Every structure is written in C-alpha cells, then in structure tokens.
Amino acid sequence: MTNDILEQIKAGEVSGVQFKERTLDKYDIGCELVAFSNAHGGKLVVGVNDKTGKINALSYSEVQETTNLLSDIASENVVPSILINVDTVVVEDGYLVVATIKEGVNKPYHDNKGIVWVKNGSDKRKVFDNAELAEMMTDCGSFAPDEASVKDATINDLDTNTIKAFLENRFDKVLEKKGLVGDAFKEASLDTICSAIAKGHDCERMLRNLRFIRPDGKLTMAAMLLFGKYTQRWLPVMTAKCICFAGNSVGGKVFRDKVNDADMEGNLLHQFDTIMDFFTRNLHNVQIRAEFNSMGKLEIPYSSLVEFTVNALVHRSLNLKAPIRIFIFDNRVEIHSPGDLPNGLTVDDIKLGTSMPRNMFLFNNAIYLLPYTGVGSGIARALDENINVTFTNNASVQEFVITVWREESNQVDVESNQVGNEVDTKSNQVEGKSNQVEGKSNQVQDSDTRLRHSDTPKVSLSNKQKDIVNFCSVPRTTAEIMERLGLSNQTKNRERYITSLVAAGYLQMTNPENPTASNQKYKKATTK
C-alpha cells in the first residue's frame, strides 16, 4: 500500500484519490466524503499538499487526532452517515493517513447543509438536476425507473399486436397446449389469448399480474417502452437519432441518410427494426470468396450490430433526458447510449460477459421481443466476430459509446456511396443544397426516407420472423437461418420461417428459377 500511495502522490490527484494537507475544515472534508460516496468510492490521503503534491507528514499525535476526526465527520457531516476505513502509511519524518471510502449503497448522499456532491475529475461539484439524482438512486437500487408510472397513459395507448407477440414468445408452451398456434393464434383476440394463458384473465388483468400496470392503475415505463403505439408522445426522449454522414466529422453538414423522428416513433421493437434497416442500407457488403459473383456479407457482422443495438435500447439510462445517437461515418460507426456503465462495471467487465442490468424489469421482459439471450454474453459474442471495436465509458458526460471501425477498403467516396431509392437524380448528389441539413434540403431527404419506409410491410409478424427478415438483409442459406433461430432444419421449421415469408413477399430467393438448388439463399425483399 505504501508504494502505491507514494506513486499516486507523484502522479497527482485523480477522481478516485484526493489529497489534503490537514483536516482543518470539517465541512470541506465532509463534502469530499459525500462526493466519493455518490461516485464509485475513493481514497482521501491526509498529509499531502493538494496544490504541490509535497508531503507534509503527520506526527503520531496528529495521526490519532485525524483518525478520530475523520470518523466523526463520516457520522456527522455525511447524510446518511457512512463507515470509512482508516490506515496509516509510514513515510520519512512521520505518517500519512489514508481514508478509504466505499461507493455508497444509499445514494444520493448529502452534506449537513443538504447539498449533494459528486466527483468531477479530481474535483467535486454540486448536483441539482433531478434526473442525475434519480440516476444515483437507480445505481444503488433504491429507484427503478422502468417501473415508474407514465402520467395519463392508459391501456388503450398500447399496441395489441406487440402485446400478442410478447405473450406468444413468453407463453409459447402454454399456448401450444391450448392449440393457439399459427393461424388460430393470429385470429384470436387478445383477451382470448390471455384467458387461455390464465383462466379468467383479460388483457388488463394479465398486464397487472405481469407488473406492467401498477397497483394504482397506472402504466409503467416498461409497458410503454415495450408495447406503446406512440411511445414518444409520452416519453419524448426514448428514441434514437440515426445519421449517415459524408466524411468523418460529427460536425459535418452533408449527410447521405438519416432517419426522421416520425419514422423512429414507436416502441423498442419498432425502434430496433428501424435501426437495423438503417444499418443494412448504409453499410456495405463485401465479398468473402474470390469469385466475382459470390455472395457477400455485411462489412460489420449483422449479429454484432444486433447485440450493440439491443444493448443501447435495453441498458440505456431511463433517467437522462437524451436520445440514443447512432452515427455512420466513412471510417467508423458510433452508438452513443445515455448513461455510463452502471453498478461500477468497467469496460473489461463487459468484455468478459459480466451482466449487471441497469433496468432489470425491462431487461427481463424485453427478451421476449428483442433478439438477445439475457445471460450477458452478447458483447463477448460480438467480439468473437473479430471486429475492430472500441468501448468508451464516459462518466463525466454520462454516456457509453461503442465505436466500430470500418475497414479502409470498405470505405467509399462521397459520389459512389449514395443511398438507394433516392427521389431523383438531383437528390442523389451529396454536394450542394439537396443534402444540406438546414432549410429546404431536408424536404428532399425526408421524402426519400418516407419512400424507403413506405415499403415496410403492414402485416404483423412474430418477433422471430421479423428478426429473420432483418437477418436476411444479407443473403442467407437455410442452414444459417435455422442456426440463427436455434432450430433443427426440419420441414415444419422451414415452412414457418422461410417458405411462409417467401410466399408473403418478405423474403425472396436468390435463385427463384430453381427453388431446390443446393446453393439457394434467401434475402430480404426490396418491395412488398
């Protein structure tokens, strides 16, 4: 410990280590302890000048006095009171006192004047924002924002088809025993399905029992995020901003594609589908075999993009008033998720598969709508794809950023990287007024986006079927599709998840003249 402290003194103060020459100001010391408790803990070293880093060792009697004083401050100047661990370090001419403060479990802590402090680099700052206070309470488990109520929303604001898809996935075995599968399930009313799952239950009672409706009759935030028709009417910031820039700067005013707010409006399943469509139409396919006509694959593996997107949607902070932001640049893709890693997690932890969900109730239920396993292996599986990815946990701005670097060979110049289905030749030009962010130029880009989204099928699909349609943005074999679903390559599975989607126009064959060809693949239909 002595060597570690001496090395830290040479390096200077950081967010987790603070220096004080003496404990002369009880209030100031109390504020430091509050800030550490509201952050991830730290050490207060007494006997070092915080301006110069020069050691001014304590005498034996000063050590006794300082130790007692620190304990008093932790009890009287920190609310609620905390326990600290105090050690001494022998140095030339005397001692240093090192107080170790753990991350608090009853956040937010405040001083004896009622002020909340948090660490701000090597310094501290006051907190006044309710969202930041709520984030502290969430971090220590005393507040669950996904179970908070949504003011004035009612069950009529939820989407019936999404609730049916959720129930189908969650209670598939029960429904199968009751004969509610396939067309029988599709034709059944929501109340009929609920009654089959639990006798005497209608939709409202089912949602109450599943805790999507609170005892006071109000919808939870999780219900609105998972099932809402127009989620952003009630929760405006629970959305995503998607922009594909020309160049490598977020300050650029020229873009190739963006998703309009109206097209993103909807629940998490809709947002997931919209984001994946954005990726697949703006990232490139690269050849994986030498033959010119060989099928390519998405330059960033589709499975990795799924994991990163679900991570942003499910694990984002629900307290912070900021949207998810997704940017595609010429050299990288960035996914910005509001909120730094929760519960003291580090980047190394998530790479190893450590799972400590921020929004536990949402996390445990979104698994029945979104494609993830829920066992914390998503990031690890994405890394197995051998992609060049950087994770940035930025606590100072409360944001977690995933950056996936694109291969230089996959980068295309501005003129050749136009998005398909543009309105006319003039709107295809990246340079000039047609693609400017400001003014009338947005009208062209917006109409383009609406055209692209007008092809979206209106018929409701199950969660697994939607995932397969998106998965086939790159041509896939039958074996790949079955592996994606975790199902055996049997006739009934092929009929449900491939043949039926081809017949309905969601998928198309790469070799339609020979349906039974050994090299047959399936891709997402360009039109419906």
Side-chain angles (χ1 to χ4, degrees):
M1 178 177 180
T2 300
N3 291 335
D4 291 341
I5 292 298
L6 294 178
E7 287 298 320
Q8 187 60 63
I9 291 172
K10 292 178 183 178
E13 290 183 322
V14 293
S15 59
V17 180
Q18 196 75 29
F19 302 148
K20 292 294 179 184
E21 193 163 3
R22 293 293 186 272
T23 52
L24 301 177
D25 189 335
K26 289 182 63 175
Y27 179 73
D28 180 59
I29 298 298
C31 295
E32 296 290 353
L33 300 187
V34 167
F36 278 131
S37 299
N38 282 329
H40 300 302
K43 296 182 184 297
L44 179 67
V45 183
V46 181
V48 181
N49 187 293
D50 58 341
K51 305 297 183 185
T52 65
K54 183 178 179 180
I55 293 177
N56 181 5
L58 282 68
S59 65
Y60 180 81
S61 60
E62 286 180 313
V63 168
Q64 305 306 311
E65 181 182 345
T66 301
T67 300
N68 293 332
L69 184 61
L70 287 172
S71 297
D72 290 342
I73 294 173
S75 298
E76 299 171 5
N77 291 59
V78 180
V79 183
S81 62
I82 61 172
L83 296 175
I84 61 174
N85 184 50
V86 181
D87 296 300
T88 58
V89 172
V90 180
V91 294
E92 188 177 354
D93 298 328
Y95 307 89
L96 301 178
V97 171
V98 180
T100 301
I101 302 95
K102 294 182 179 180
E103 180 176 1
V105 295
N106 290 309
K107 300 177 186 178
Y109 293 83
H110 57 83
D111 62 33
N112 55 6
K113 295 182 180 179
I115 299 174
V116 176
W117 298 86
V118 294
K119 295 299 295 180
N120 185 29
S122 61
D123 204 350
K124 59 184 180 298
R125 63 176 174 84
K126 299 176 181 178
V127 177
F128 300 104
D129 183 31
N130 286 336
E132 193 169 355
L133 296 174
E135 189 72 357
M136 290 184 195
M137 296 171 67
T138 301
D139 202 25
C140 66
S142 59
F143 173 60
D146 48 354
E147 298 187 61
S149 63
V150 179
K151 185 178 180 181
D152 297 330
T154 71
I155 194 172
N156 294 326
D157 297 305
L158 303 182
D159 179 62
T160 299
N161 288 332
T162 309
I163 298 174
K164 287 180 68 173
F166 171 84
L167 295 175
E168 181 182 25
N169 291 324
R170 180 160 182 175
F171 300 102
D172 54 342
K173 294 181 180 179
V174 174
L175 292 169
E176 187 174 355
K177 289 181 179 179
K178 298 294 180 68
L180 282 177
V181 294
D183 291 340
F185 179 85
K186 292 177 182 178
E187 294 171 2
S189 69
L190 185 53
D191 285 343
T192 298
I193 293 169
C194 292
S195 181
I197 295 170
K199 187 176 180 180
H201 282 56
D202 58 11
C203 178
E204 182 172 353
R205 186 174 177 185
M206 176 66 69
L207 293 179
R208 281 180 180 272
N209 285 353
L210 294 175
R211 292 170 47 209
F212 290 112
I213 298 179
R214 291 158 49 101
D216 59 8
K218 296 181 179 179
L219 291 182
T220 64
M221 185 180 288
M224 185 56 67
L225 288 171
L226 292 176
F227 311 129
K229 293 178 185 176
Y230 307 107
T231 300
Q232 288 67 37
R233 174 185 176 187
W234 312 99
L235 307 170
V237 298
M238 299 301 156
T239 185
K241 307 289 185 181
C242 300
I243 302 176
C244 179
F245 286 96
N248 295 317
S249 172
V250 73
K253 293 184 178 180
V254 179
F255 60 90
R256 299 188 176 102
D257 185 19
K258 77 169 185 176
V259 178
N260 293 326
D261 291 345
D263 294 319
M264 186 61 72
E265 182 174 284
N267 55 46
L268 292 188
L269 180 58
H270 173 78
Q271 291 180 44
F272 171 80
D273 289 338
T274 305
I275 292 169
M276 295 310 299
D277 282 343
F278 171 75
F279 280 136
T280 53
R281 71 172 181 259
N282 286 293
L283 296 175
H284 312 127
N285 288 337
V286 295
Q287 282 184 253
I288 56 177
R289 297 190 184 94
E291 296 87 353
F292 178 77
N293 291 322
S294 65
M295 291 297 179
K297 67 175 184 177
L298 208 61
E299 60 177 288
I300 299 173
Y302 183 88
S303 58
S304 296
L305 292 171
V306 167
E307 297 295 348
F308 296 150
T309 300
V310 170
N311 182 78
L313 291 171
V314 176
H315 297 302
R316 63 151 292 165
S317 167
L318 302 180
N319 298 311
L320 301 179
K321 294 178 173 59
I324 294 166
R325 296 179 298 150
I326 298 176
F327 303 136
I328 296 178
F329 300 96
D330 286 350
N331 69 346
R332 68 194 187 278
V333 172
E334 292 182 356
I335 302 174
H336 296 247
S337 183
D340 56 338
L341 290 175
N343 304 314
L345 281 177
T346 67
V347 168
D348 288 339
D349 290 332
I350 64 170
K351 285 182 178 180
L352 293 173
T354 303
S355 178
M356 296 183 68
R358 185 196 310 270
N359 311 304
M360 183 60 73
F361 183 68
L362 178 64
F363 172 80
N364 286 336
N365 286 283
I367 193 171
Y368 299 108
L369 285 175
L370 298 176
Y372 67 98
T373 63
V375 296
S377 59
I379 295 295
R381 284 200 310 276
L383 293 176
D384 286 342
E385 298 282 358
N386 196 30
I387 57 178
N388 185 3
V389 59
T390 304
F391 302 102
T392 305
N393 186 36
N394 197 332
S396 61
V397 297
Q398 294 187 295
E399 184 177 66
F400 181 70
V401 183
I402 299 175
T403 303
V404 186
W405 298 94
R406 303 173 72 179
E407 294 292 336
E408 187 174 351
S409 60
N410 293 334
Q411 296 177 30
V412 181
D413 59 31
V414 171
E415 292 183 359
S416 65
N417 197 27
Q418 298 299 312
V419 179
N421 299 327
E422 272 78 3
V423 177
D424 53 35
T425 303
K426 197 170 185 178
S427 69
N428 283 338
Q429 303 302 318
V430 173
E431 302 293 343
K433 294 182 180 179
S434 64
N435 274 338
Q436 296 301 320
V437 175
E438 295 84 13
K440 293 184 178 179
S441 60
N442 270 337
Q443 297 173 7
V444 176
Q445 186 70 33
D446 291 351
S447 63
D448 176 38
T449 305
R450 284 193 294 273
L451 281 176
R452 283 193 294 270
H453 284 274
S454 67
D455 292 333
T456 301
K458 303 300 182 184
V459 179
S460 176
L461 295 178
S462 72
N463 176 49
K464 290 182 179 179
Q465 288 172 323
K466 285 186 176 182
D467 182 52
I468 290 306
V469 172
N470 274 331
F471 182 61
C472 290
S473 296
V474 176
R476 307 288 185 178
T477 65
T478 298
E480 288 175 324
I481 294 173
M482 290 299 110
E483 182 181 1
R484 172 77 177 176
L485 291 164
L487 299 174
S488 59
N489 194 353
Q490 296 179 354
T491 301
K492 66 176 183 178
N493 292 331
R494 292 196 298 271
E495 289 178 349
R496 181 175 184 183
Y497 293 107
I498 298 179
T499 307
S500 63
L501 292 175
V502 172
Y506 291 95
L507 296 180
Q508 60 189 42
M509 300 179 187
T510 57
N511 187 4
E513 292 79 13
N514 187 5
T516 59
S518 60
N519 64 346
Q520 185 68 262
K521 293 187 177 183
Y522 302 87
K523 64 180 181 178
K524 184 176 181 179
T526 55
T527 59
K528 171 71 167 72

